[in-house]
Amino acid sequence: MPIKPLFSHGPLPGYRLFFCALAASALMFVDHRFTRMEDVRAQMTMIVAPIQWVVSVPSDLLNWGALALSDQQALVDENRRLREQIVTLSHRGQRLANLTAENAELRSLLKAAERHEIPYMTAELLSLDNDPFSHQMVVDRGHRNGAYVGQPVIDAFGLVGQVTAVSAYSSRVLMLMDASHALPVQVNRNGLRFIVQGTGRYGSVNVLHVPDTADIREGDLLTTSGLAGRFPPGYPVARVTEVYYDPGQPFARVTAEPSAQLQRSRHFLLLFPPPPEELDESEWDDSMDISATALQAAQQLGRHPESQEVP
């Protein structure tokens, strides 16, 4: 005769599983239909934030230990590389200052709106999402620091993603390569505008709806276009790695590699771009209007350049 368990009480496991599934379904329905669950989620995130900090302590200790036990020669070599990088960046900074002044003068001549520096704050990685179908991360900045939903996030190399949820002391960031993430970009070489969508893989994104006749090639840099008012223009997004033209399809298949170090970066910048309604629009003066005669002459010059004589 089998021995009966001494402590057999409570409902059967099948009923417990049924009730748990029913409760989970009810919570998902409430979360989908009502916005009050966002406040509940934010409060729960405040409770989980200390746990996330505690979980990140071992990696911080390992990094500190590796730095403390590093060989002196390795530190000397790293110091030399950093000094060379400082010299290179200083040279680029000097060139950038000259180009910035020239650009400001040209924009003033064209009566275009002046571009201002975008404020930012630094953030550090706390954790990554364990879901293989969702590429999200948690950083150590929340609404107490000024973070908000939809805020752009970059690293030292390019665009990382945008903030999708904010609690008091941390924020959840949807990364660029997530399959549900898309943003408008433009080719830095000629200004063509497209849409970039994540593929679910760290090393590639797709450029959508590229016509066969579009002037896009391998090596082109894709930057944020500023359309839709979410991401400020001019930040690197990805670099084109493959352009495949299928004779039977109206669009080319274009893939690109993200510029940001999505698998390596631990420090990020959260940008504070001005809202679209506060951006100054370029003023169009009456003196800048083109007369019909001048427009017709320019069109004729473009059609028959060989027939025009230079005085």
Side-chain angles (χ1 to χ4, degrees):
M1 296 293 293
I3 300 176
K4 295 183 178 180
L6 297 178
F7 303 99
S8 59
H9 59 276
L12 296 177
Y15 289 104
R16 290 199 295 266
L17 177 62
F18 173 76
F19 286 126
C20 289
L22 184 62
S25 301
L27 288 175
M28 288 189 291
F29 175 78
V30 172
D31 185 27
H32 180 70
R33 299 292 298 180
F34 302 99
T35 58
R36 293 184 177 179
M37 291 299 296
E38 296 181 0
D39 299 333
V40 176
R41 190 185 298 108
Q43 297 297 329
M44 295 297 296
T45 307
M46 293 178 57
I47 300 176
V48 178
I51 300 176
Q52 294 174 337
W53 290 333
V54 171
V55 170
S56 64
V57 168
S59 62
D60 296 338
L61 292 177
L62 288 176
N63 293 333
W64 177 83
L67 181 62
L69 299 177
S70 297
D71 185 40
Q72 183 179 3
Q73 185 61 37
L75 293 177
V76 171
D77 294 338
E78 183 179 2
N79 190 16
R80 177 180 54 81
R81 290 194 301 268
L82 291 176
R83 288 180 179 274
E84 294 177 355
Q85 187 177 4
I86 289 175
V87 174
T88 303
L89 294 177
S90 177
H91 171 69
R92 293 182 179 179
Q94 295 174 10
R95 295 274 300 172
L96 180 61
N98 186 20
L99 293 176
T100 301
E102 183 180 356
N103 187 29
E105 183 178 358
L106 292 175
R107 295 181 67 87
S108 177
L109 291 174
L110 295 175
K111 297 184 178 181
E114 183 180 358
R115 290 184 177 179
H116 301 280
E117 292 292 334
I118 298 178
Y120 61 87
M121 68 177 175
T122 59
E124 189 174 355
L125 177 68
L126 284 180
S127 63
L128 291 172
D129 200 334
N130 295 325
D131 187 357
F133 301 103
S134 176
H135 295 82
Q136 301 185 24
M137 65 179 181
V138 178
V139 296
D140 61 344
R141 291 291 184 268
H143 64 75
R144 295 284 181 90
N145 309 105
Y148 60 91
V149 175
Q151 187 172 16
V153 180
I154 65 172
D155 67 356
F157 303 94
L159 184 70
V160 174
Q162 59 178 306
V163 176
T164 56
V166 178
S167 63
Y169 302 103
S170 63
S171 299
R172 182 170 293 272
V173 178
L174 181 67
M175 304 178 75
L176 174 66
M177 71 286 186
D178 190 273
S180 62
H181 190 279
L183 75 152
V185 298
Q186 66 181 10
V187 181
N188 191 48
R189 178 172 53 87
N190 52 23
L192 290 178
R193 293 187 293 269
F194 302 105
I195 299 295
V196 162
Q197 185 177 21
T199 60
R201 300 186 299 271
Y202 278 96
S204 66
V205 292
N206 291 330
V207 185
L208 304 181
H209 310 306
V210 179
D212 288 340
T213 57
D215 183 14
I216 187 171
R217 63 187 70 165
E218 295 183 9
D220 281 344
L221 177 64
L222 305 177
T223 61
T224 53
S225 63
L227 298 179
R230 177 61 57 89
F231 301 97
Y235 286 91
V237 176
R239 190 171 293 274
V240 177
T241 56
E242 181 185 6
V243 180
Y244 176 74
Y245 296 99
D246 190 350
Q249 298 296 330
F251 299 104
R253 187 174 70 240
V254 181
T255 58
E257 181 181 4
S259 300
Q261 301 293 330
L262 300 176
Q263 289 182 289
R264 301 178 183 177
S265 297
R266 295 183 59 88
H267 300 274
F268 308 95
L269 297 180
L270 276 64
L271 305 180
F272 292 90
E277 58 269 13
E278 294 184 5
L279 295 177
D280 295 331
E281 298 181 355
S282 300
E283 297 181 0
W284 186 266
D285 196 356
D286 294 337
S287 61
M288 301 176 64
D289 293 339
I290 302 176
S291 62
T293 305
L295 181 59
Q296 184 177 4
Q299 292 175 348
Q300 292 295 333
L301 180 61
R303 293 173 184 174
H304 306 288
E306 67 280 356
S307 63
Q308 304 293 328
E309 296 182 358
V310 179

